[in-house]
Amino acid sequence: MRRPVALRLNAALATLAVAAATGMVLSMPEAASAAATGSATGYATQNGGTTGGAGGTTVRATTGTAIHTALCNRASSSTPITIQVEGTINHGNTAKVSGNSCNTAAGVIELKQISNVTLVGVGSGAVFDQLGIHIRESSNIIIQNVTVKNVKKSGSPTSNGGDAIGMESDVRNVWVDHTTLEASGGESEGYDGLFDMKDNTQYVTLSYSTLRNSGRGGLVGSSETELSNGYITYHHNLYENIDSRAPLLRGGIAHIYNNYYVKLNESGINSRAGARAKVDNNYFKNSKDVLGTFYTDAAGYWQVSGNTFDNVTWSAKGSENNPAGPDPKSNTTVSIPYSYSLDNASCVPAIVGATAGANKGLKVSDGSCSPTTPTPTPDPTDPTPDPTDPTQPGGTNLSIGAGSDGSSKASGSSYGHVRDGDMNTFWSPAGSTGSISIKWGTATAVSKVNIREASGSTGAIGAWRVVNGDTGAVLTSGTGAGAITVPKTSLKKITFEITGSSGTPKVAEFETYAG
């Protein structure tokens, strides 16, 4: 029963091919360009809440390796960081990076044994192509506004056990929001789950996301005896053309409200092994067995209210098949510890269609069936420029997560210290003059530089030059550290040359900005 998903997807792809061949213009939604927006909802607000990288540095990444590098360059595995991702992340640009603050692997975005991280798509969008996101032994993670597609567990290439987003081993407080998770078939085509949780994963919210074209939507618990997971919220998500597991719940508690289910081909919400699901104001359309206990005699339970069943068919009850319909009734009660607003089920198709998925402008429901844009959370850089000081550049410090090199360095100093966001570390030349560079794997536009001297050495830097490291051209020159404006230049390497100093110059941070 997995093959039809691929066939149905092929029909959709054929439509797109016809559109391209005939010169049709397919409108695309505007991509969000801000950092993480809004606040966590649902069970992710419990157990201390989920804030991700709030209050930490902000880094831009265009490759998987850059994502790993940003994690590994932190002062510790819990140092807050927001990683803004743009472009296509794939096996070819995702390598293992080593460091004391990370535990990464090639061929997967590895969020392992870390905390306080936000991963957010910006600009023209972020697509993880055949590359999964793996969260393991981690806490306080936000993933927002990204697309993860065609992750395989068999065939080539493989990643993350075939899960688009997979969580396992003592994971706590994860908010996944405005994502698009999709496959191109079921298990026989090499794919597994889109959103899986197992081995003691708790306090998770999946909101305003699209899950489609897969044999398996996602599970909570890997077996009938693996019951350590729970406290999961699913709201305002679109499940489209999914065979089963929308989701599969083994033990624990789930709150499932205001989701739009279209073409659940075999089964939908599968509550089993003692799981309890509160199922409110969802809209089920053109689907089969959308709620119940399926494929097991280990009973699960549900509390239902306000749902709409539009062209839903139900199987007969059997020893391992207990559908809730055709007239679903509650067989348990579930107390929800957080506040929430329910949209009427009648408007769920419209509000979910306007808000769910990546590149939808991060719009949410206002609780009355109308889309709205939440207030952006701050987009911090570290060190944070003083907003009252016009000499300090604003925006994202492009040096965080980049590379660095330079002339001979004094004992106890390091090139990497100028791009770690830590004013307590520094690079110092071996003598009174020397050079330090920031470099990227791809050309990066820079129009401002900020040289921050370490404590106790302020004023030591005298004359300097800023040089295009690609061509050797001098972009500007002057005296004294601080904010520097250069002609906006696209380059892979920019160099700060100290040509005169008094005392021992110490550069704590060599910040670079696009504008």
Side-chain angles (χ1 to χ4, degrees):
M1 293 296 293
R2 302 291 183 241
R3 184 71 62 179
V5 180
L7 296 178
R8 289 186 291 271
L9 178 65
N10 288 339
L13 294 176
T15 301
L16 293 176
V18 170
T22 57
M24 291 171 57
V25 178
L26 304 179
S27 62
M28 299 295 290
E30 182 179 353
S33 59
T37 299
S39 300
T41 55
Y43 274 115
T45 65
Q46 305 298 291
N47 191 44
T50 304
T51 57
T57 57
T58 298
V59 180
R60 184 70 66 100
T62 58
T63 67
T65 303
I67 293 172
H68 285 161
T69 299
L71 295 172
C72 295
N73 279 347
R74 296 184 297 162
S76 74
S77 61
S78 62
T79 301
I81 189 170
T82 294
I83 305 174
Q84 298 178 336
V85 185
E86 183 175 16
T88 299
I89 311 301
N90 55 35
H91 284 75
N93 63 30
T94 302
K96 174 183 173 65
V97 178
S98 299
N100 293 329
S101 61
C102 64
N103 187 351
T104 71
V108 62
I109 296 301
E110 190 76 289
L111 306 181
K112 182 178 181 181
Q113 298 169 341
I114 61 173
S115 60
N116 309 327
V117 173
T118 294
L119 198 66
V120 55
V122 298
S124 59
V127 177
F128 294 80
D129 186 12
Q130 302 181 76
L131 197 80
I133 299 175
H134 186 205
I135 305 172
R136 184 171 185 171
E137 299 173 68
S138 295
S139 63
N140 195 23
I141 306 294
I142 296 174
I143 299 174
Q144 190 176 58
N145 199 43
V146 303
T147 294
V148 187
K149 66 178 185 178
N150 293 334
V151 180
K152 286 193 169 186
K153 69 175 182 179
S154 62
S156 180
T158 61
S159 178
N160 197 30
D163 296 336
I165 296 178
M167 290 160 271
E168 63 179 305
S169 301
D170 304 321
V171 173
R172 292 292 186 276
N173 290 87
V174 178
W175 178 37
V176 177
D177 178 65
H178 283 94
T179 63
T180 297
L181 311 177
E182 58 188 10
S184 296
E187 188 175 17
S188 62
E189 285 80 33
Y191 306 100
D192 197 10
L194 296 177
F195 193 70
D196 279 11
M197 289 161 273
K198 56 188 178 183
D199 193 15
N200 197 24
T201 294
Q202 298 180 1
Y203 301 104
V204 176
T205 295
L206 176 67
S207 58
Y208 297 100
S209 292
T210 294
L211 297 85
R212 64 188 174 205
N213 300 328
S214 177
R216 296 169 172 175
L219 59 76
V220 179
S222 59
S223 72
E224 308 294 74
T225 59
E226 204 270 279
L227 307 178
S228 58
N229 311 278
Y231 308 114
I232 316 297
T233 301
Y234 304 81
H235 74 89
H236 292 95
N237 302 299
L238 169 64
Y239 285 80
E240 182 178 22
N241 194 25
I242 302 290
D243 282 348
S244 62
R245 301 186 182 183
L248 164 60
L249 308 170
R250 291 179 168 120
I253 292 174
H255 188 197
I256 303 171
Y257 70 92
N258 283 153
N259 300 286
Y260 183 30
Y261 297 91
V262 186
K263 296 186 69 177
L264 300 181
N265 302 307
E266 297 175 20
S267 61
I269 301 169
N270 186 352
S271 179
R272 52 203 268 190
R276 293 189 296 142
K278 184 170 172 58
V279 183
D280 298 327
N281 291 33
N282 301 279
Y283 196 107
F284 301 91
K285 182 177 181 179
N286 297 341
S287 297
K288 176 184 177 183
D289 285 342
V290 299
L291 173 64
T293 297
F294 305 104
Y295 323 121
T296 181
D297 59 2
Y301 308 96
W302 45 85
Q303 180 181 354
V304 293
S305 67
N307 300 288
T308 295
F309 302 93
D310 180 0
N311 192 31
V312 171
T313 59
W314 302 91
S315 298
K317 291 187 178 183
S319 60
E320 294 188 350
N321 199 54
N322 182 29
D327 183 20
K329 302 292 185 183
S330 299
N331 57 15
T332 191
T333 58
V334 180
S335 177
I336 301 300
Y338 51 82
S339 61
Y340 60 99
S341 297
L342 286 173
D343 289 314
N344 291 328
S346 61
C347 75
V348 162
I351 192 64
V352 169
T355 58
N359 303 328
K360 286 290 186 73
L362 298 175
K363 290 183 173 64
V364 299
S365 172
D366 66 354
S368 300
C369 296
S370 296
T372 185
T373 302
T375 303
T377 54
D379 180 12
T381 58
D382 185 17
T384 303
D386 180 354
T388 65
D389 184 353
T391 67
Q392 296 299 306
T396 300
N397 176 11
L398 303 173
S399 299
I400 303 293
S404 56
D405 61 26
S407 62
S408 298
K409 56 183 180 290
S411 177
S413 69
S414 170
Y415 304 130
H417 287 162
V418 304
R419 52 177 175 80
D420 62 2
D422 186 349
M423 287 295 291
N424 295 313
T425 62
F426 62 88
W427 164 84
S428 186
S432 60
T433 63
S435 63
I436 182 72
S437 300
I438 298 295
K439 56 186 181 179
W440 302 270
T442 57
T444 301
V446 175
S447 65
K448 292 182 181 178
V449 166
N450 199 23
I451 302 298
R452 295 177 179 264
E453 293 177 283
S455 176
S457 66
T458 303
I461 294 175
W464 50 260
R465 303 191 310 169
V466 178
V467 177
N468 183 332
D470 298 346
T471 65
V474 177
L475 300 176
T476 189
S477 60
T479 59
I484 302 167
T485 299
V486 300
K488 191 164 189 176
T489 306
S490 184
L491 40 71
K492 292 185 177 180
K493 182 175 181 179
I494 188 167
T495 301
F496 181 73
E497 292 184 355
I498 301 172
T499 58
S501 64
S502 59
T504 303
K506 296 179 180 180
V507 177
E509 291 299 303
F510 179 176
E511 301 173 356
T512 52
Y513 299 88

PDB file of all heavy atoms in Angstrom, residues 481-494:
ATOM      1  N   ALA A 481      40.883  51.558  16.251  1.00  0.00           N
ATOM      2  CA  ALA A 481      39.893  50.498  16.075  1.00  0.00           C
ATOM      3  C   ALA A 481      38.483  51.063  16.137  1.00  0.00           C
ATOM      4  O   ALA A 481      38.270  52.222  16.469  1.00  0.00           O
ATOM      5  CB  ALA A 481      40.086  49.429  17.144  1.00  0.00           C
ATOM      6  N   GLY A 482      37.505  50.225  15.800  1.00  0.00           N
ATOM      7  CA  GLY A 482      36.107  50.625  15.846  1.00  0.00           C
ATOM      8  C   GLY A 482      35.382  50.257  14.578  1.00  0.00           C
ATOM      9  O   GLY A 482      35.807  49.372  13.818  1.00  0.00           O
ATOM     10  N   ALA A 483      34.246  50.927  14.322  1.00  0.00           N
ATOM     11  CA  ALA A 483      33.431  50.651  13.139  1.00  0.00           C
ATOM     12  C   ALA A 483      34.064  51.265  11.904  1.00  0.00           C
ATOM     13  O   ALA A 483      34.490  52.424  11.919  1.00  0.00           O
ATOM     14  CB  ALA A 483      32.035  51.188  13.336  1.00  0.00           C
ATOM     15  N   ILE A 484      34.115  50.494  10.821  1.00  0.00           N
ATOM     16  CA  ILE A 484      34.752  50.908   9.571  1.00  0.00           C
ATOM     17  C   ILE A 484      33.809  50.621   8.417  1.00  0.00           C
ATOM     18  O   ILE A 484      33.290  49.504   8.295  1.00  0.00           O
ATOM     19  CB  ILE A 484      36.086  50.147   9.350  1.00  0.00           C
ATOM     20  CG1 ILE A 484      37.053  50.376  10.524  1.00  0.00           C
ATOM     21  CG2 ILE A 484      36.719  50.537   8.023  1.00  0.00           C
ATOM     22  CD1 ILE A 484      38.232  49.408  10.513  1.00  0.00           C
ATOM     23  N   THR A 485      33.588  51.598   7.560  1.00  0.00           N
ATOM     24  CA  THR A 485      32.786  51.401   6.361  1.00  0.00           C
ATOM     25  C   THR A 485      33.702  51.200   5.168  1.00  0.00           C
ATOM     26  O   THR A 485      34.661  51.954   4.983  1.00  0.00           O
ATOM     27  CB  THR A 485      31.868  52.604   6.108  1.00  0.00           C
ATOM     28  OG1 THR A 485      30.971  52.742   7.228  1.00  0.00           O
ATOM     29  CG2 THR A 485      31.045  52.416   4.846  1.00  0.00           C
ATOM     30  N   VAL A 486      33.402  50.174   4.351  1.00  0.00           N
ATOM     31  CA  VAL A 486      34.176  49.907   3.140  1.00  0.00           C
ATOM     32  C   VAL A 486      33.222  49.865   1.963  1.00  0.00           C
ATOM     33  O   VAL A 486      32.012  49.678   2.136  1.00  0.00           O
ATOM     34  CB  VAL A 486      34.939  48.562   3.255  1.00  0.00           C
ATOM     35  CG1 VAL A 486      35.906  48.589   4.423  1.00  0.00           C
ATOM     36  CG2 VAL A 486      33.974  47.398   3.379  1.00  0.00           C
ATOM     37  N   PRO A 487      33.714  50.077   0.745  1.00  0.00           N
ATOM     38  CA  PRO A 487      32.833  49.896  -0.420  1.00  0.00           C
ATOM     39  C   PRO A 487      32.269  48.475  -0.415  1.00  0.00           C
ATOM     40  O   PRO A 487      33.007  47.520  -0.194  1.00  0.00           O
ATOM     41  CB  PRO A 487      33.770  50.117  -1.612  1.00  0.00           C
ATOM     42  CG  PRO A 487      34.923  50.900  -1.068  1.00  0.00           C
ATOM     43  CD  PRO A 487      35.084  50.451   0.353  1.00  0.00           C
ATOM     44  N   LYS A 488      30.952  48.339  -0.601  1.00  0.00           N
ATOM     45  CA  LYS A 488      30.349  47.015  -0.543  1.00  0.00           C
ATOM     46  C   LYS A 488      30.999  46.116  -1.591  1.00  0.00           C
ATOM     47  O   LYS A 488      30.957  46.397  -2.797  1.00  0.00           O
ATOM     48  CB  LYS A 488      28.839  47.092  -0.760  1.00  0.00           C
ATOM     49  CG  LYS A 488      28.134  45.783  -0.458  1.00  0.00           C
ATOM     50  CD  LYS A 488      26.638  45.964  -0.304  1.00  0.00           C
ATOM     51  CE  LYS A 488      25.982  44.695   0.216  1.00  0.00           C
ATOM     52  NZ  LYS A 488      24.533  44.882   0.459  1.00  0.00           N
ATOM     53  N   THR A 489      31.600  45.025  -1.125  1.00  0.00           N
ATOM     54  CA  THR A 489      32.389  44.156  -1.985  1.00  0.00           C
ATOM     55  C   THR A 489      32.028  42.710  -1.716  1.00  0.00           C
ATOM     56  O   THR A 489      31.884  42.294  -0.560  1.00  0.00           O
ATOM     57  CB  THR A 489      33.896  44.365  -1.718  1.00  0.00           C
ATOM     58  OG1 THR A 489      34.223  45.746  -1.840  1.00  0.00           O
ATOM     59  CG2 THR A 489      34.728  43.552  -2.704  1.00  0.00           C
ATOM     60  N   SER A 490      31.877  41.918  -2.769  1.00  0.00           N
ATOM     61  CA  SER A 490      31.645  40.494  -2.643  1.00  0.00           C
ATOM     62  C   SER A 490      32.990  39.779  -2.702  1.00  0.00           C
ATOM     63  O   SER A 490      33.721  39.890  -3.696  1.00  0.00           O
ATOM     64  CB  SER A 490      30.728  40.004  -3.764  1.00  0.00           C
ATOM     65  OG  SER A 490      30.431  38.635  -3.598  1.00  0.00           O
ATOM     66  N   LEU A 491      33.345  39.099  -1.644  1.00  0.00           N
ATOM     67  CA  LEU A 491      34.663  38.471  -1.556  1.00  0.00           C
ATOM     68  C   LEU A 491      34.613  37.238  -0.669  1.00  0.00           C
ATOM     69  O   LEU A 491      33.665  37.028   0.077  1.00  0.00           O
ATOM     70  CB  LEU A 491      35.691  39.478  -1.004  1.00  0.00           C
ATOM     71  CG  LEU A 491      35.268  40.430   0.131  1.00  0.00           C
ATOM     72  CD1 LEU A 491      35.095  39.705   1.445  1.00  0.00           C
ATOM     73  CD2 LEU A 491      36.274  41.554   0.289  1.00  0.00           C
ATOM     74  N   LYS A 492      35.651  36.428  -0.764  1.00  0.00           N
ATOM     75  CA  LYS A 492      35.745  35.240   0.069  1.00  0.00           C
ATOM     76  C   LYS A 492      36.641  35.459   1.281  1.00  0.00           C
ATOM     77  O   LYS A 492      36.606  34.672   2.223  1.00  0.00           O
ATOM     78  CB  LYS A 492      36.281  34.053  -0.742  1.00  0.00           C
ATOM     79  CG  LYS A 492      35.335  33.553  -1.812  1.00  0.00           C
ATOM     80  CD  LYS A 492      35.896  32.306  -2.487  1.00  0.00           C
ATOM     81  CE  LYS A 492      34.929  31.746  -3.516  1.00  0.00           C
ATOM     82  NZ  LYS A 492      35.471  30.521  -4.168  1.00  0.00           N
ATOM     83  N   LYS A 493      37.438  36.563   1.245  1.00  0.00           N
ATOM     84  CA  LYS A 493      38.368  36.812   2.341  1.00  0.00           C
ATOM     85  C   LYS A 493      38.589  38.310   2.488  1.00  0.00           C
ATOM     86  O   LYS A 493      38.780  39.020   1.501  1.00  0.00           O
ATOM     87  CB  LYS A 493      39.697  36.111   2.061  1.00  0.00           C
ATOM     88  CG  LYS A 493      40.750  36.259   3.160  1.00  0.00           C
ATOM     89  CD  LYS A 493      41.973  35.404   2.812  1.00  0.00           C
ATOM     90  CE  LYS A 493      43.050  35.488   3.867  1.00  0.00           C
ATOM     91  NZ  LYS A 493      44.218  34.635   3.542  1.00  0.00           N
ATOM     92  N   ILE A 494      38.516  38.778   3.716  1.00  0.00           N
ATOM     93  CA  ILE A 494      38.773  40.183   4.004  1.00  0.00           C
ATOM     94  C   ILE A 494      39.806  40.253   5.131  1.00  0.00           C
ATOM     95  O   ILE A 494      39.753  39.480   6.092  1.00  0.00           O
ATOM     96  CB  ILE A 494      37.484  40.928   4.381  1.00  0.00           C
ATOM     97  CG1 ILE A 494      37.735  42.438   4.478  1.00  0.00           C
ATOM     98  CG2 ILE A 494      36.847  40.369   5.636  1.00  0.00           C
ATOM     99  CD1 ILE A 494      36.458  43.253   4.548  1.00  0.00           C
TER     100      ILE A 494
END
